[in-house]
Structures are given as C-alpha cells and as structure tokens.
Amino acid sequence: MSFKLKGFYIFKIIFISFIIYLALASYDLGWLILSEKIHVKQLNTMRVPLHPLFGSLLLLLLLLNLLIINLPILFIIISVPLIIINTLGIINYTINLSPLNPEIIYAIINSNIYESYEYIEQYIVTITVVISIQSFLYYLIIKNYYLIIDFGKKIIYKFISTTLLIFSFSLVLSYHYLEIRNLNYPLSIVESLRDLHKESSKNNKREKKINEYPLDVTLNNNINTNIILVLGESSRKDHWGIYGYKNNTTPFLFKKDIIKYNNTISNATNTYRSVPLILSKALSTSFNDINKVPSILSYYRKALYTTFYLNSGPRQNFRLDLSILDSYKYESNEYFYAPYINNHIGTAYDNQLVNKLKQLIKQNKTSSNLFILQCSGSHLNYKNRYPKEFIKFTNSDINSINEYDNSILYTDYVLNNLITFIDKSTKPSILVYVSDHGENLFDDRRQLGGHGGFATRYQLEVPLFFYPNKRYINTYSEKIKNIKKNKNIFFETQYLFHTLLDIGNINSPDLVEEYSLTSNYISLPKKHLIYDPTFSEKNIISYQNVLKRDSLFLK
C-alpha cells in the first residue's frame, strides 16, 4: 500500500469515526427523549450525557480544519492540552458516568501535587491507555500532514462547513433542549469553567458578606465546655461494623456507649458542597446562600468560645482559594494543617489531629472550645489513609474495597483515641461524628467508583453518632435524653447546624429548635432534597428518586 493511500485510509478512518459519533450521539439523544417521557415524573433525573469519547472525536475533527488551512504549529500547540482534557473527561465518565462539572474542575484546580500523584497512581493503567491511543492518533495525523492538506484542498469548504454546522447543531441542542449543556462534552467544560468563575467570585466576597451579617448570639451559661465535631471523609454507613457490616471495621466503637443514628443522609456527593451545608444554616435548595451566611465557627466565636479548625487534608500548594472551605481559616481562632507523614504521597494521618487537639485543650483549660476536625478518612487513594499496621481485611476480590475497609478500621482507632481522651476531661465534653458523604464501591451494574458524580445512595447514606462524657451528661441531661430519643428519625446532615448550636448551649434567631436533635419535638421537612449538579433539573433531586434510579441498576 502506497504512502499516499495510507494517508487516505487514516483520514477515512477518522471520517468514519465522526459518522459513528453522530450515530451514537443520536442514539443517546433518542434514549434521553424516551427516558424523559417515561421516567422524568417518577425519577426527575434520567439524563444521558454524550460520552466524552465522542466529544473528543468531534474536537479532533474541528482541529483537523487547522491542518487543512495550513496551520500545523497551531494544531500541535492545541493538541497537547486537548489530550489532557480529553483524558480527564473520558476517565471521569468511566468512573462516575458523568461529564466534567464545576465540582470536578474545582477539585482539579484546587489539587496539589500529592493529590495528583494519588489520582494518577489509582488509575495509572486507564490514564496510560487513553493518553497512548490519543497520542498515537495525533502522531499519525501529523506524520501524514501533507497528505491531509492535499486531500483537504479537494473538499476544504465542504469539510469545514460541514464540521462547523454539526458542531453548531450540537451547541443549539445543548442550550435549548432540556438544559443538557452541562452534560454535553466538550461544552460541559466551558459551562463548568463559567459556573466556577461565578462561584469563586462570590466566595472571594464572602468575608465581607459575613462581616455584614447581623449575627445575634447569646450563651445560656458560662460553663466551660468542649465541643468536638469530627467530619469524616467519603465514609459510607454500610461499611461500618456498628451498622451491621460483615467485616468488623469498628471494634473499638462496639465497646463504647455511643448514640448512633441509623438513618442519616448527606445532602451532597462531594466535600465542596456537603461540608458547608453541615456547618451553616444554608440548604441544598439554596446553596448560593452559603456565601452570605457565616459558618458555625462564627456563632461560637461570638459566644466567646475559642474555635479551632484542624485539617488533615491537602495543605495549600497551588491551591487557588476558590472554595468556601478555604474561607474557614478566617472564621476560626486557629487553623491547623497536619504535617505530611510521607512527602512522597502527601499523606497526613487523622490521628495527628487528635494529638494536636490534646495539645490545644491543655493550652486552653480555662475557656470553652469548639474543635472541628476535617479528616482524610476514606478518601481515594484509600491505602494512603492509614499506617501499615492497619492492613487487615483481604476478603474482597476487589482490592480497593479491602483498602477502603482498612481506612474505616483506622477511623475507628482515631475516634477511640478521642473518646478515651474526653472521658478523662474535667470539662463537659461531647464528640459528634458525621461523614461529609459516602463512596461508590462498584456496587451495581454501573460499576461506579469514587464520589462527586450524580447522586447514589452509596454516596448519601452516612454514619452519624454522638458521644458525651459523664460531665456533659450530668450537665445537659435533657439534651442527651432527647438525642437518644431521636436516634431513629430520618435525618439530613444539612440540619446538623441547629444541633451544633444547641449542644454548645448557644441561642440565636437562626436556631430552628424543631430541626435540632436536642429538641423534645422534631419536625423536619418531608422532602429529602439532594444537591446533584450532574443529571437533575435545577441541581436538585429527591432522595426517594435517587433510590428509584439506583434500583434500575441492581445486580
């Protein structure tokens, strides 16, 4: 076969790929229309994104126009970032069945080199394959550059006009049909960057907004108290031994008199959303309010508590302070990042936060204190979340599930250390543990992994428990009585803010008593609404509809 004929066949393959893209995109769109008619009233969320693989082919065809009009250098310059973006899009879709969205792009931008290393380490095979295929395809195109130009001269106007027409048609569909623009790769990237810019602009003004907020707080008594809120990471309830899991991942907690809540869900599938909902009065249905209202830290400071935010997550590296989470350092008296144990993987273990807390309590014996511990918990890469001595479980065929269970075993150890410490405290002290969200662990036919995509029950159902020491029980017996009484109610973590105010004995007009677990009478909204930015209208889906959607894919 002649060199010229090879070039023709390469170009023909690309063109056929484009036709396949159109066929599959049409199939996706038809399935979307059908599913909307059948399921939207019941599920409100049967949206199907155009696969990034097809979008990547469309981008390549658009890029080929640069070669046809004889701009090879520009083609090469654009192809490098395009390969990276396509790789991220394809891998994210493979893991979460969702396109790149503001939450994913925020995570990428606000990562540091160690988080990037962990991500690459976890998906090294997939990343290598996707980049290799793309690079080889681009290499063949550049190698046969002159043949493509020669071939393109014959159809230049037809090719360019046809490609642009189809791309324009895609844009029109994305913007005007059922608001699917956030789902259509590559347009989802543009939309996500735009949304992220808007949100980061609001976050940058948050400090000013908080200072203007009419914060009205009074303290019911002057009894020095320690309030400890532990924010778990990616920890799902059904992998905890105390919730009936087959592996005893919580041997220490089994022996403790904790007040365990049995029906708790998170209102978001990523830390970026879920933690602000836990720490403020904002709700999933009005998340934009998060930039206008203070977190629980400000209420406690106004009530003359000393406030500490301890974090074992990634320290600032090339973080850009785009998230509201970064602003908590301005609301607390002290913000602490745990130092890395191993700079090779950027790991800080959660027990470092316990050691820091012990040190701070000794230094602040005469004051009331609020401690918020934001843990690394069970975040990917799971095996980096715990020391080697916690490698115990090996009974799953999927090794990452064994590693996940080991990370919960370590969390149990960390929480036991905290409980043992506050038991010895001479102050009334109470520990509250809740996970920010759960984790997909290849549970059904979708084979989803990780978190941050569209909502599933595996990402929403989280552990929640309270542990008061004896001095707290004796001082606030009525509160503890009600916390025990309410342990079987269906609870959403976005309402925990009200309980956190009340256990600190803080009064505020922002405290809704019937939302607090310390209340004798609880009346929570019946619609359990989840922030889901990927597949649902207005970024909201009900928990009931999440369960219905999940049921379609059970093994």
Side-chain angles (χ1 to χ4, degrees), residues 239-486:
H239 275 248
W240 283 53
I242 57 172
Y243 285 100
Y245 185 49
K246 61 182 180 181
N247 290 336
N248 186 9
T249 54
T250 53
F252 287 114
L253 290 180
F254 264 123
K255 302 172 185 177
K256 301 297 182 182
D257 190 20
I258 64 173
I259 307 171
K260 172 172 61 80
Y261 273 64
N262 297 310
N263 300 291
T264 305
I265 61 168
S266 173
N267 293 91
T269 62
N270 57 72
T271 306
Y272 177 43
R273 301 286 182 183
S274 61
V275 168
L277 289 174
I278 292 171
L279 297 183
S280 75
K281 69 172 188 175
L283 301 175
S284 58
T285 51
S286 55
F287 189 83
N288 286 337
D289 290 347
I290 210 74
N291 298 292
K292 305 171 187 176
V293 298
S295 76
I296 196 76
L297 289 157
S298 291
Y299 289 83
Y300 270 80
R301 282 187 72 175
K302 188 73 179 286
L304 301 181
Y305 273 75
T306 307
T307 59
F308 304 92
Y309 201 101
L310 313 182
N311 194 339
S312 63
R315 291 174 292 170
Q316 289 193 3
N317 191 347
F318 47 87
R319 295 168 66 91
L320 302 179
D321 285 357
L322 295 177
S323 167
I324 187 175
L325 301 177
D326 297 301
S327 68
Y328 291 151
K329 61 173 71 81
Y330 307 117
E331 290 189 74
S332 54
N333 291 102
E334 183 174 340
Y335 195 102
F336 170 79
Y337 278 112
Y340 289 145
I341 293 290
N342 185 338
N343 281 330
H344 178 58
I345 54 174
T347 294
Y349 295 138
D350 289 338
N351 202 53
Q352 293 172 254
L353 302 185
V354 178
N355 294 336
K356 180 65 176 180
L357 178 143
K358 292 178 180 179
Q359 176 188 337
L360 291 170
I361 284 182
K362 290 177 182 178
Q363 295 171 356
N364 295 271
K365 291 180 179 180
T366 59
S367 65
S368 289
N369 305 301
L370 168 68
F371 298 92
I372 298 179
L373 281 62
Q374 186 172 345
C375 298
S376 295
S378 300
H379 195 283
L380 276 172
N381 193 341
Y382 312 131
K383 67 181 180 181
N384 294 337
R385 303 284 83 86
Y386 51 86
K388 291 182 179 179
E389 54 266 33
F390 288 87
I391 299 175
K392 176 180 178 180
F393 299 109
T394 58
N395 55 323
S396 174
D397 293 335
I398 303 174
N399 192 49
S400 60
I401 294 180
N402 294 324
E403 294 169 353
Y404 184 83
D405 289 349
N406 289 332
S407 70
I408 294 178
L409 183 69
Y410 180 64
T411 295
D412 174 71
Y413 166 79
V414 171
L415 292 171
N416 179 67
N417 287 346
L418 267 174
I419 289 172
T420 302
F421 179 72
I422 66 172
D423 271 341
K424 298 175 183 177
S425 176
T426 57
K427 285 183 184 179
S429 302
I430 184 169
L431 165 69
V432 183
Y433 175 89
V434 65
S435 185
D436 58 353
H437 53 76
E439 187 85 343
N440 290 312
L441 292 171
F442 318 106
D443 303 278
D444 55 35
R445 288 187 286 110
R446 292 169 294 186
Q447 289 295 289
L448 301 175
H451 60 268
F454 63 87
T456 64
R457 69 181 303 170
Y458 318 111
Q459 295 177 86
L460 299 178
E461 295 173 357
V462 295
L464 166 67
F465 73 81
F466 296 80
Y467 183 84
N469 68 2
K470 289 182 180 179
R471 287 185 177 272
Y472 191 94
I473 294 172
N474 293 335
T475 307
Y476 303 107
S477 57
E478 190 65 24
K479 294 182 191 296
I480 297 304
K481 176 184 174 182
N482 288 331
I483 288 175
K484 289 181 177 179
K485 171 188 169 184
N486 295 321

Side-chain angles (χ1 to χ4, degrees), residues 14-279:
I14 295 172
F15 190 76
I16 291 173
S17 299
F18 181 55
I19 299 301
I20 293 172
Y21 164 77
L22 287 179
L24 289 170
S26 300
Y27 171 80
D28 265 3
L29 191 58
W31 198 84
L32 187 151
I33 295 170
L34 180 64
S35 62
E36 284 292 333
K37 287 181 178 178
I38 293 175
H39 296 292
V40 72
K41 290 183 179 179
Q42 304 162 344
L43 306 185
N44 194 32
T45 176
M46 290 297 295
R47 298 174 180 274
V48 183
L50 304 184
H51 197 295
L53 180 61
F54 314 145
S56 300
L57 287 171
L58 178 58
L59 286 175
L60 174 57
L61 285 164
L62 285 171
L63 208 57
L64 275 176
N65 289 304
L66 295 175
L67 289 183
I68 290 174
I69 60 177
N70 205 12
L71 291 174
I73 302 300
L74 188 58
F75 175 88
I76 294 172
I77 292 173
I78 295 177
S79 66
V80 174
L82 199 59
I83 288 174
I84 296 172
I85 292 171
N86 287 338
T87 300
L88 290 171
I90 292 169
I91 290 175
N92 186 65
Y93 189 95
T94 302
I95 298 167
N96 289 318
L97 287 183
S98 66
L100 293 176
N101 54 54
E103 280 73 15
I104 300 298
I105 291 180
Y106 159 74
I108 294 169
I109 293 175
N110 230 31
S111 295
N112 62 30
I113 192 169
Y114 302 116
E115 287 181 294
S116 301
Y117 169 83
E118 287 191 339
Y119 183 85
I120 292 171
E121 180 186 38
Q122 185 74 11
Y123 301 109
I124 184 65
V125 175
T126 309
I127 290 172
T128 302
V129 170
V130 173
I131 289 180
S132 297
I133 292 174
Q134 288 185 90
S135 299
F136 181 67
L137 182 58
Y138 278 70
Y139 164 75
L140 289 179
I141 291 171
I142 294 170
K143 182 179 178 181
N144 294 279
Y145 159 56
Y146 291 107
L147 293 177
I148 291 174
I149 288 180
D150 184 54
F151 182 77
K153 285 178 181 177
K154 301 174 184 178
I155 61 165
I156 179 168
Y157 296 111
K158 290 182 180 179
F159 187 84
I160 293 176
S161 59
T162 302
T163 307
L164 293 178
L165 180 64
I166 293 172
F167 191 71
S168 300
F169 179 68
S170 175
L171 295 183
V172 171
L173 279 178
S174 297
Y175 269 95
H176 295 289
Y177 181 73
L178 296 175
E179 299 182 353
I180 61 172
R181 57 185 179 275
N182 282 324
L183 308 181
N184 189 350
Y185 184 90
L187 192 63
S188 61
I189 296 177
V190 178
E191 285 292 311
S192 295
L193 287 172
R194 188 195 68 172
D195 293 346
L196 188 63
H197 174 70
K198 286 183 179 179
E199 196 153 321
S200 63
S201 297
K202 292 177 183 178
N203 290 339
N204 290 334
K205 299 174 183 176
R206 182 172 181 270
E207 189 174 1
K208 181 181 178 182
K209 291 284 187 182
I210 290 174
N211 291 333
E212 295 171 351
Y213 186 85
L215 192 60
D216 185 4
V217 169
T218 56
L219 192 61
N220 284 342
N221 60 44
N222 294 319
I223 301 173
N224 286 342
T225 306
N226 289 322
I227 309 295
I228 303 168
L229 171 63
V230 180
L231 297 171
E233 169 64 55
S234 306
S235 194
R236 53 189 273 182
K237 181 182 75 173
D238 63 352
H239 275 248
W240 283 53
I242 57 172
Y243 285 100
Y245 185 49
K246 61 182 180 181
N247 290 336
N248 186 9
T249 54
T250 53
F252 287 114
L253 290 180
F254 264 123
K255 302 172 185 177
K256 301 297 182 182
D257 190 20
I258 64 173
I259 307 171
K260 172 172 61 80
Y261 273 64
N262 297 310
N263 300 291
T264 305
I265 61 168
S266 173
N267 293 91
T269 62
N270 57 72
T271 306
Y272 177 43
R273 301 286 182 183
S274 61
V275 168
L277 289 174
I278 292 171
L279 297 183

